[in-house]
């Protein structure tokens, strides 16, 4: 279940007071957009989104779009990543149960993040609580997706990637907790040729 944004769509997509859970195999909750769908914006508020745990999408992220995303007052949980987007505003959210493998041979923990940004933004991540946890309770009898599907930890909770020059970042007043044995490599990371040259990172609890 979920939403797909076609390449010619423009305007806001408002998702409010939504509960999306995953009761059975092949019903993972996903929000997807065509690569050319850049003239719209997802605005999500007061939602509970279950990425599926062992049933999660093999396309990795719960939200994977090429348009700006706004997420406020939501609980999003149980997947490899919460959101992949070029511009993100996320405030007052609870995000947990991330850092899971996909099928055998899938991405490792170094690619498991909560937020993955691939363009300069702006990016505003404030007043959120994020933690890793043992999500094996969400797993189902093997070999549904293989033992490697179980949690491994996070490469970085917030990752700025792929050569972008990130000069408009606000990452303030967040709480990050790592409780998996494999933990979190970084709570905040800049990778693959990206640079972070401006913005604020203040009053975060790690």
């Amino acid at each position: 279940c979920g939403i797909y944004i076609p390449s010619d769509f423009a305007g806001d997509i408002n998702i409010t007071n939504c509960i999306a859970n995953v009761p059975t195999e092949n019903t993972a909750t996903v929000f997807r957009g065509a690569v050319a769908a850049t003239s719209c914006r997802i605005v999500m508020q007061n939602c509970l989104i279950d990425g599926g745990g062992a049933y999660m999408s093999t396309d990795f992220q719960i939200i994977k779009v090429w348009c700006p995303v706004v997420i406020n007052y939501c609980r999003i949980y149980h997947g490899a990543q919460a959101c992949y987007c070029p511009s993100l505003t996320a405030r007052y959210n609870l995000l947990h149960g991330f850092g899971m493998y996909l099928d055998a041979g899938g991405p490792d923990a170094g690619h498991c993040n909560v937020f993955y940004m691939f363009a300069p933004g702006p990016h505003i991540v404030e007043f959120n609580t994020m933690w890793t946890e043992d999500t094996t309770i969400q797993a189902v009898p093997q070999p549904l997706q293989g033992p490697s599907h179980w949690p491994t930890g996070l490469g970085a909770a917030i990752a700025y990637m792929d050569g972008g020059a990130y000069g408009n970042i606000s990452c303030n007043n967040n709480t990050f907790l790592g409780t998996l044995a494999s933990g979190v490599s970084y709570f905040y990371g800049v990778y693959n040729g990206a640079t972070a040259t401006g913005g604020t990172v203040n009053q975060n609890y790690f």
Side-chain angles (χ1 to χ4, degrees):
C1 60
I3 292 173
Y4 178 76
I5 306 169
S7 58
D8 59 349
F9 187 87
D12 282 358
I13 300 169
N14 294 296
I15 306 167
T16 305
N17 301 322
C18 171
I19 297 177
N21 56 14
V22 183
T24 59
E25 185 178 356
N26 299 321
T27 58
T29 302
V30 293
F31 300 86
R32 293 287 181 267
V35 175
T38 59
S39 298
C40 53
R41 183 178 69 154
I42 290 179
V43 180
M44 182 181 293
Q45 184 160 312
N46 301 326
C47 293
L48 188 153
I49 308 296
D50 182 348
Y55 296 121
M56 69 181 176
S57 168
T58 54
D59 196 22
F60 213 33
Q61 294 88 1
I62 295 175
I63 302 169
K64 185 175 185 178
V65 294
W66 278 258
C67 65
V69 176
V70 177
I71 307 172
N72 295 324
Y73 300 102
C74 292
R75 178 187 174 196
I76 304 177
Y77 59 105
H78 294 153
Q81 293 181 6
C83 184
Y84 173 99
C85 67
S87 177
L88 173 69
T89 299
R91 290 188 173 108
Y92 303 104
N93 300 292
L94 173 62
L95 304 116
H96 65 99
F98 294 98
M100 298 180 72
Y101 265 113
L102 298 181
D103 298 6
D108 61 19
H111 295 88
C112 291
N113 317 109
V114 179
F115 294 129
Y116 182 127
M117 277 72 87
F118 62 88
H123 299 290
I124 302 169
V125 181
E126 297 178 335
F127 303 101
N128 302 284
T129 298
M130 309 177 199
W131 85 88
T132 62
E133 62 178 338
D134 188 343
T135 48
T136 54
I137 58 171
Q138 290 293 313
V140 296
Q142 302 303 315
L144 173 64
Q145 302 224 25
S148 62
H149 189 85
W150 288 17
T152 61
L154 294 174
I158 300 175
Y160 300 94
M161 304 286 284
D162 302 336
Y166 296 93
N168 195 355
I169 295 170
S170 178
C171 181
N172 304 308
N173 301 295
N174 300 287
T175 298
F176 303 90
L177 303 172
T179 61
L180 281 174
S182 50
V184 179
S185 297
Y186 302 97
F187 284 107
Y188 186 93
V190 182
Y191 300 99
N192 294 355
T195 59
T197 57
T200 60
V201 181
N202 292 316
Q203 302 299 319
N204 296 291
Y205 175 79
F206 299 95

